[in-house]
Amino acid sequence: MKYKTLKGLQDILPPDISVWQHIEAGARDIFKNYGFQEIRLPVMESTDVFIRSIGETSDIVEKEMYTFQDKGGRSVTLRPEGTAPFVRAYVEHHLYNNPAPQKYYYMGPMFRYERPQAFRYRQFYQIGAEAMGIDDPKLDAEIISMLALILGSIGLVGLNFEITSIGCKNCRPGYRSALKKFLNDKIDKFCKDCQRRFDINPLRILDCKVPSCIESRQGSPPVLDFLCTECEGHFKSLKKYLDILSVSYTINPNLVRGLDYYTKTAFEVSSESLGSQKAVAAGGRYDSMVDEFGGPSTPGIGFAIGMERIIPLIKDSLSEPAGPDLLFCPLGDEAAVKAFLLTGQLRAEGLWVEMNLESTSLRSQMRKANRIGAKNVIVLGEDELKTGEISIKDMVSGEQNKSLLEVNQLIKIIRKET
RNA sequence: GUGAGUGUAGCUCAGCUGGUUAGAGCAUCUGACUGUGGCUCAGAGGGUCGGGGGUUCGAAUCCCCUCACUCACCCCA
């Protein structure tokens, strides 16, 4: 085979596409009720958009970006996530002048140059939502409960919601140095990745899954103890509002985001039935990002759902692919022309109609009718053309009914039966 | 970037320690059944055995290299 999809990219074909449409339609429904509007953004941005927001030392920026030079010599990057481009657009179009909260959602492909794995692709699809302009933890709770509703309405069960607060620019430095102080004298007990993290981003040591690291970090100062009064109050209120909305969650103080722009609330949804790549959605608050993009200081919060992560969880509910309402089986050239005309007329009336374009034996035409799942079949031969009367066959019951070869009467019969 | 596993028909896979024209099931097409599908039966088409090299009288099978895919690590949605 000469050409194939690039590594980590995939074609999405029928019937799988119906699962995607089901998810997208379900999400759109709920977004509408929460006042979110769709926004469509380019798949590439100036590379700086990502470096400045996601963080120079993050794994994404360090090794996972599809970055190249365009013909004008500019460095461009295929978006590895949706929030930074969104904030760029938010500032560029002065969307902060609309009444807060401004609420947007998007769905589309993201790109990360990683080694593919189960449920992890280089081009992957996210459904994301962003709400801007409100600092109140009620909004955090609203967002998380909306996420729960979306995932639930799509048909997902057994999900685990984890939340934490990672502080803000006022209290995080204090925590960071307290953590480094605690880890400093046992640094040689950690894996080599964690030793590297110690300087770059010590918070991520808390998220390491190596058993010796888990053990060595026992007794480390909990992040939640270092929150400033504002962050602490915010987190406390968030929990209260989640309780009011009956969203069940667990507090995971070791939840660490790979992106640098998060402040205060961070959350992640995971499914135990997925194996190693178990995160299906994640998000958090980013209160200083608009500022950094040159806009007026504006708080924001959002999340993204990983399409490829939720699809295997609901694939069982795949419905049978439908077949046409009617199939014409013409015998002979004259009949084929008549069927050709009627096919067009009936389609214009809103029916899904097909005709066999190849003149094969009636037997094989009927086989095909069965194979494609046609609901009704009309055989058009010399007799029918002569008398103007046909039999329409219901392929499920096998019954045949007489009818005149006339559009309105055919519609009536098909509509009644289907 | 690191490690492990797998590559044989459109799909799922047999093919034992090297030995004739490389097989099965499903799918496709045709016929049995001049104008009525599903079931059954018969037949047909479809393969550079991932690619290259080596060992050998002889390689899908053994060895080396390479490519692709998969899974895991890392990290993340």
Side-chain angles (χ1 to χ4, degrees):
Chain A
M1 212 174 301
K2 196 170 179 186
Y3 297 114
K4 304 167 70 168
T5 54
L6 295 174
K7 185 198 275 281
L9 275 54
Q10 55 173 342
D11 300 319
I12 302 155
L13 309 173
D16 282 357
I17 203 76
S18 65
V19 188
W20 288 69
Q21 290 169 340
H22 165 74
I23 293 169
E24 288 165 0
R28 280 180 206 281
D29 257 11
I30 304 214
F31 281 136
K32 187 168 71 77
N33 295 346
Y34 277 76
F36 281 69
Q37 292 182 290
E38 184 170 5
I39 186 169
R40 298 194 188 191
L41 302 171
V43 293
M44 55 180 134
E45 297 279 345
S46 168
T47 301
D48 287 342
V49 168
F50 301 110
I51 295 181
R52 295 223 11 222
S53 57
I54 298 171
E56 213 145 351
T57 59
S58 67
D59 273 59
I60 291 179
V61 169
E62 271 186 345
K63 51 184 195 187
E64 294 174 2
M65 293 208 305
Y66 270 96
T67 297
F68 53 90
Q69 296 225 318
D70 69 9
K71 293 190 176 187
R74 290 167 284 259
S75 179
V76 299
T77 296
L78 260 33
R79 61 182 184 191
E81 59 104 34
T83 301
F86 165 74
V87 172
R88 190 229 80 226
Y90 180 81
V91 173
E92 181 172 338
H93 301 286
H94 315 292
L95 298 179
Y96 41 77
N97 287 330
N98 296 321
Q102 302 96 15
K103 300 188 276 195
Y104 301 95
Y105 74 91
Y106 52 83
M107 7 188 110
M110 307 292 162
F111 305 84
R112 288 185 203 171
Y113 194 87
E114 303 176 272
R115 197 77 163 254
Q117 209 175 310
F119 318 121
R120 190 173 78 181
Y121 301 88
R122 287 182 171 180
Q123 175 175 339
F124 58 101
Y125 290 79
Q126 288 190 337
I127 298 177
E130 316 285 352
M132 308 300 292
I134 299 285
D135 193 14
D136 194 294
K138 280 198 281 296
L139 183 62
D140 303 37
E142 204 176 273
I143 294 283
I144 293 173
S145 73
M146 177 175 77
L147 175 58
L149 189 58
I150 289 173
L151 297 174
S153 80
I154 285 166
L156 301 193
V157 288
L159 298 176
N160 185 23
F161 281 71
E162 294 176 298
I163 64 166
T164 190
S165 176
I166 57 172
C168 62
K169 60 185 171 194
N170 296 323
C171 49
R172 206 182 316 166
Y175 175 64
R176 188 185 154 110
S177 52
L179 183 64
K180 284 187 81 163
K181 196 174 158 196
F182 172 83
L183 297 171
N184 197 30
D185 52 328
K186 35 193 134 212
I187 184 71
D188 51 325
K189 289 183 185 154
F190 286 94
C191 69
K192 65 181 196 307
D193 286 311
C194 282
Q195 294 184 14
R196 188 175 55 90
R197 289 179 185 129
F198 182 78
D199 291 316
I200 302 168
N201 191 346
L203 303 206
R204 268 205 244 156
I205 295 177
L206 300 173
D207 200 31
C208 184
K209 282 128 197 150
V210 176
S212 61
C213 296
I214 294 174
E215 190 171 331
S216 303
R217 71 175 181 239
Q218 288 292 324
S220 65
V223 61
L224 296 174
D225 285 4
F226 283 76
L227 297 180
C228 60
T229 5
E230 194 195 320
C231 288
E232 193 184 3
H234 188 98
F235 190 52
K236 201 175 156 193
S237 302
L238 167 63
K239 289 184 285 187
K240 184 180 83 186
Y241 293 129
L242 285 175
D243 291 337
I244 289 172
L245 295 174
S246 307
V247 176
S248 56
Y249 58 87
T250 55
I251 295 166
N252 178 2
N254 293 338
L255 194 66
V256 179
R257 307 279 71 221
L259 293 76
D260 286 359
Y261 54 64
Y262 284 119
T263 56
K264 292 183 181 166
T265 308
F267 53 92
E268 187 168 306
V269 188
S270 59
S271 162
E272 286 308 325
S273 41
L274 271 187
S276 139
Q277 310 295 327
K278 62 192 178 118
V280 299
R285 183 166 272 287
Y286 45 93
D287 285 348
S288 38
M289 203 164 149
V290 174
D291 207 5
E292 284 160 20
F293 271 77
S297 181
T298 309
I301 179 168
F303 64 75
I305 301 169
M307 281 292 266
E308 289 83 354
R309 301 283 168 89
I310 60 176
I311 276 163
L313 299 174
I314 62 162
K315 215 165 181 176
D316 300 342
S317 60
L318 224 170
S319 56
E320 287 282 300
D325 299 317
L326 175 66
L327 173 74
F328 281 106
C329 297
L331 299 168
D333 291 343
E334 200 184 331
V337 172
K338 183 69 176 167
F340 185 57
L341 173 66
L342 285 166
T343 298
Q345 289 174 333
L346 289 165
R347 282 173 175 165
E349 295 295 329
L351 291 174
W352 179 9
V353 182
E354 300 288 345
M355 69 174 282
N356 279 328
L357 297 170
E358 289 169 310
S359 48
T360 51
S361 72
L362 180 60
R363 175 181 183 71
S364 72
Q365 292 203 47
M366 289 303 291
R367 275 187 183 167
K368 186 165 169 184
N370 189 59
R371 171 98 175 100
I372 66 175
K375 298 191 185 85
N376 297 284
V377 168
I378 291 175
V379 176
L380 256 191
E382 280 177 30
D383 298 348
E384 287 80 3
L385 289 176
K386 213 175 292 168
T387 62
E389 191 181 74
I390 50 92
S391 295
I392 180 162
K393 180 167 186 170
D394 182 318
M395 292 297 282
V396 178
S397 67
E399 284 172 20
Q400 303 213 47
N401 290 300
K402 297 282 186 198
S403 167
L404 290 177
L405 195 50
E406 190 270 320
V407 171
N408 288 328
Q409 194 168 349
L410 292 177
I411 290 171
K412 219 172 281 174
I413 293 173
I414 293 164
R415 285 257 160 79
K416 192 166 60 189
E417 290 177 355
T418 54

